[in-house]
Amino acid sequence: MTFTDQEIDRFREHLYRRTGMWFGDAKRYYIERRAAERLVETGSHDVADYFARLRVDAAERQALVNAFTVNETYFYREEHQLACLGRTLLPDIVSTRRPGDKVRIWSAPCSTGEEPYSIALWLLENWRMVDAYNVEIVGSDIDSQALEAARSGIYAERALARLPAAVRGAYFEPLKRHRWKIIDDLRESVTFTHANLMESAGLGEQGLFDIIFCRNVLIYFDDASREIAAANLYDRLVPGGYLCLGHTESMSRIDDRFVSRRFDDAIVFQRPGVPS
């Protein structure tokens, strides 16, 4: 199935308005392949027929977004940031709090769940104060299918490749076909929610967080989308809270309200101020 330039632009602009992701000319084949899959799946005769359906079918609008999201991840990815979380960020956050107080950590986007579960695993294994505070971990994503996979907690061998054998043995149960399932106690320790980094109103429902992991998504945005996402992330942080981006990303040229902080394990970005 082939598309005209105008039809490709129609898909590109629709996705941009809904997600902030911009697929340039180099991604034309990617757009054609994913768009063709949706037309075949819905039995649409042509692009005009498909977009007429999109106007009235919320489920298909979500399915189209799902088709274009990137869910490449694995456990303990960018492990140096997890080390920074336990050695520096959390000790700073709890320095003004009492035992039993809530600490909120947000993974957005969380894809199929490896990142928020990695946070939970790392803290259980490496942060001796984990039981002294009420740590709430939330994973959010725009992809509804990815969230379903995250809630199931079932993963193939490849996703677990970086985990120490002792961690795998303690927190995962083997299934058939070389798959593993996270034990129920750990799976239930992470809450998953649907969220779009471009929609400030919806993000407000997530509440405020002490630490946010938002890694390897801004690279898919253009400058305008990055500014909107950065402002929304800033608003979701408590004063003094920290934002962790991917190793190729920086907030310095996007939103100058963040303060760049260089620690032994990682560079992170902080919202200035003191928590109320």
Side-chain angles (χ1 to χ4, degrees), residues 18-228:
R18 289 190 60 81
T19 70
M21 294 186 294
W22 179 251
F23 298 94
D25 292 339
K27 293 288 187 178
R28 182 186 178 99
Y29 174 72
Y30 181 81
I31 298 172
E32 287 184 334
R33 181 162 55 89
R34 299 300 174 93
E37 290 173 357
R38 295 316 310 159
L39 264 68
V40 171
E41 181 70 21
T42 58
S44 300
H45 300 298
D46 52 31
V47 172
D49 184 35
Y50 180 74
F51 272 88
R53 178 175 187 145
L54 280 185
R55 284 194 291 271
V56 298
D57 189 342
E60 181 55 29
R61 291 196 295 271
Q62 180 62 58
L64 181 63
V65 169
N66 292 353
F68 279 84
T69 53
V70 179
N71 294 310
E72 174 63 27
T73 187
Y74 47 85
F75 284 91
Y76 280 15
R77 187 179 189 181
E78 300 193 34
E79 191 174 337
H80 62 282
Q81 285 189 345
L82 297 176
C84 186
L85 173 69
R87 295 171 183 166
T88 306
L89 306 187
L90 282 172
D92 179 54
I93 292 294
V94 303
S95 65
T96 58
R97 301 187 188 180
R98 300 176 180 177
D101 283 352
K102 181 175 287 188
V103 176
R104 303 192 76 219
I105 303 173
W106 192 25
S107 169
C110 69
S111 185
T112 45
E114 288 91 332
E115 179 171 290
Y117 287 133
S118 290
I119 294 169
L121 284 170
W122 183 272
L123 296 184
L124 286 169
E125 289 293 300
N126 298 281
W127 191 43
R128 63 183 182 83
M129 299 298 292
V130 65
D131 292 325
Y133 296 90
N134 179 12
V135 180
E136 180 182 357
I137 302 172
V138 178
S140 300
D141 205 277
I142 196 173
D143 185 334
S144 59
Q145 288 183 330
L147 289 171
E148 289 179 12
R151 293 186 182 105
S152 75
I154 297 174
Y155 298 96
E157 288 273 357
R158 182 172 178 271
L160 280 65
R162 293 182 62 89
L163 287 179
V167 172
R168 181 187 299 203
Y171 298 101
F172 292 81
E173 300 169 351
L175 302 175
K176 295 179 180 179
R177 299 180 180 178
H178 306 288
R179 297 188 303 164
W180 297 76
K181 183 176 182 179
I182 292 177
I183 61 173
D184 288 345
D185 283 350
L186 182 60
R187 185 166 54 86
E188 293 168 1
S189 71
V190 179
T191 301
F192 291 99
T193 64
H194 188 271
N196 185 341
L197 290 177
M198 302 301 293
E199 297 178 355
S200 57
L203 293 180
E205 298 175 0
Q206 306 291 335
L208 296 177
F209 294 89
D210 299 292
I211 299 168
I212 297 176
F213 285 80
C214 182
R215 306 192 293 188
N216 306 308
V217 65
L218 298 182
I219 55 176
Y220 298 103
F221 290 1
D222 67 357
D223 290 344
S225 295
R226 289 190 189 104
E227 289 178 4
I228 294 171

